[in-house]
Amino acid sequence: MPRPILATIHPEALRHNLARLRAATPDARIWAIVKANAYGHGIERVFDALRGADGFALLDLLEAERVRALGWRGPILLLEGVFEPRDLELCSRLGLWHAVHCDEQIDWLAAHKTQVPHRVFLKMNSGMNRLGFSPQRFRSAWARLDALPQVEEISLMTHFSDADAPRGIAHQVRAFAETTRDLPGERSLSNSAAALRHAADAQVRGDWIRPGIAVYGSAPDFPEHDIRHWDLQPTMTLSSRVLAVQQLQPGDTVGYGSSFTADAPLRIGVVACGYADGYPRHCTTGTPVLVDGVRTRLVGRVSMDMVAVDLTPVPQAGFGSAVTLWGRAGDGTVLPIDEVAAAGGTLSYELMCALAPRVPVVVEG
Ligand SMILES: Cc1ncc(COP(=O)(O)O)c(C=O)c1O
């Protein structure tokens, strides 16, 4: 018998979330972001549900090969472009579109021998200061690319640092719009937060949006808004079972470091899930969890293989009861991953990506 922990991927929820993004930006095409193995879900597991996207965007050339191996003939975009000159051969062979964010990548393209000219996405650093050409250098980079026989078409892209936050995107949109005003080519600016929060502006929607986290059923601007506000559905459930019950007396403590002390008699369930499964160790007493679909709380510290939960709101629960660490319980009750991540001082992105290899994963349906 394996441990009862299990991750379940929900294809219907992926389809629903994609449709939500489509409805928010009806005139834009959608890059489904499947980097980091589809945010921890597994590219092969989400592929079918996300076929309705217009393209797949990712970082890793091996992941691009996996998408082609699944039979996808449409666009694939390498969001960071190529990492060394010979990667361009794979781009030619697999027809990958690639970002160009630095001079070195243009040098490599200029030296690349290919029968198939490439489609590139020239990236502007409009304020995030991660990748891309500054507005001052962007146009000369464009002119260099435009002169290359290796380049068929140049699209223009940038990435927002604060689409989910009070600072917003106006300063970056302005820098991008001013610099690219008379340049031809398709535009791509928006991640999930921009696509949902700022989509009324056609400039922000551009020709292609690039949503990741909203596709995977997490609110990009939690806690300001939650998935119910954005009508998104969880795409990953982490579930397990109670493998032991303890009856505590006042003064009894729970787990390493005795960080929780009962002040009254308390029944707790010990659950087969720990930080070695990818559950965040920084989650402490009070982190929400569902037992038999009923919301309760974690008590004490997370250990490698176990956590303890308060069984007070679920008196009928006991050995073998179903526990939902995040996602959707059997009765349909939802525990948004955003709430668990916030309790652990992190983001849903990290939790999804950190799902440990030892956790078995199934695709619903
Ligand atoms: C360039 C780029 N575009 C789009 C995304 C998707 O962002 P999100 O998951 O917040 O929608 C990312 C993710 O970090 C990214 O790096």
Side-chain angles (χ1 to χ4, degrees), residues 4-348:
I5 192 160
L6 184 70
T8 306
I9 307 301
H10 307 294
E12 278 314 311
L14 288 160
R15 286 192 186 91
H16 169 89
N17 298 338
L18 194 62
R20 273 288 300 125
L21 287 150
R22 184 76 78 192
T25 59
D27 54 354
R29 272 164 285 159
I30 300 182
W31 289 114
I33 307 289
V34 293
K35 64 184 174 136
N37 200 21
Y39 287 42
H41 290 61
I43 287 177
E44 288 75 11
R45 295 188 197 104
V46 302
F47 175 71
D48 211 44
L50 297 184
R51 290 187 95 109
D54 300 287
F56 290 92
L58 38 70
L59 308 181
D60 195 309
L61 283 96
L62 292 174
E63 290 188 340
E65 283 188 301
R66 282 163 58 192
V67 175
R68 281 283 181 253
L70 287 163
W72 177 253
R73 290 164 187 269
I76 297 177
L77 175 64
L78 299 175
L79 289 164
E80 294 182 355
V82 294
F83 301 98
E84 55 177 336
R86 69 177 175 164
D87 294 345
L88 291 168
E89 288 159 26
L90 195 73
C91 293
S92 294
R93 187 149 51 81
L94 296 182
L96 308 179
W97 302 2
H98 48 103
V100 171
H101 65 78
C102 62
D103 291 313
E104 290 77 359
Q105 290 176 330
I106 304 182
D107 296 340
W108 299 339
L109 255 175
H112 179 53
K113 293 190 178 30
T114 180
Q115 308 295 327
V116 203
H118 289 201
R119 169 95 181 244
V120 297
F121 275 60
L122 182 60
K123 184 150 187 183
M124 184 190 299
N125 169 15
S126 58
M128 186 158 189
N129 289 311
R130 223 169 49 167
L131 298 182
F133 293 91
S134 66
Q136 297 73 29
R137 300 208 47 242
F138 189 79
R139 296 180 72 91
S140 60
W142 186 90
R144 265 196 86 194
L145 281 176
D146 190 45
L148 294 182
Q150 291 89 343
V151 173
E152 179 191 41
E153 191 175 336
I154 308 170
S155 301
L156 315 175
M157 72 185 284
T158 195
H159 191 51
F160 297 129
S161 58
D162 291 74
D164 57 334
R167 187 175 182 206
I169 61 173
H171 60 296
Q172 289 188 261
V173 174
R174 201 176 317 116
F176 186 75
E178 278 170 11
T179 309
T180 61
R181 195 174 317 121
D182 53 347
L183 291 180
E186 294 186 335
R187 268 74 169 155
S188 177
L189 297 85
S190 292
N191 57 359
S192 299
L196 292 173
R197 287 166 68 94
H198 305 287
D201 181 344
Q203 267 190 137
V204 173
R205 293 197 300 279
D207 299 289
W208 291 87
I209 60 165
R210 303 190 308 270
I213 201 68
V215 172
Y216 301 105
S218 160
D221 55 355
F222 185 84
E224 186 182 342
H225 297 116
D226 59 13
I227 51 170
R228 196 182 309 183
H229 175 88
W230 293 121
D231 184 21
L232 298 169
Q233 297 177 1
T235 60
M236 178 195 282
T237 292
L238 182 63
S239 59
S240 188
R241 294 199 174 273
V242 171
L243 55 89
V245 173
Q246 303 294 343
Q247 178 64 56
L248 307 186
Q249 299 307 321
D252 284 351
T253 63
V254 178
Y256 288 117
S258 302
S259 72
F260 175 83
T261 306
D263 55 10
L266 186 72
R267 258 179 98 237
I268 61 165
V270 179
V271 180
C273 174
Y275 61 77
D277 299 300
Y279 192 84
R281 202 189 83 87
H282 292 292
C283 283
T284 49
T285 297
T287 301
V289 56
L290 305 177
V291 176
D292 288 339
V294 176
R295 197 176 164 106
T296 180
R297 58 175 182 149
L298 221 70
V299 287
R301 278 194 197 151
V302 175
S303 51
M304 184 184 285
D305 312 304
M306 285 174 269
V307 292
V309 299
D310 181 352
L311 294 180
T312 311
V314 250
Q316 79 286 1
F319 182 87
S321 286
V323 178
T324 308
L325 286 315
W326 62 69
R328 207 173 67 210
D331 67 354
T333 307
V334 167
L335 174 57
I337 192 170
D338 299 313
E339 289 188 39
V340 180
T346 183
L347 298 171
S348 59

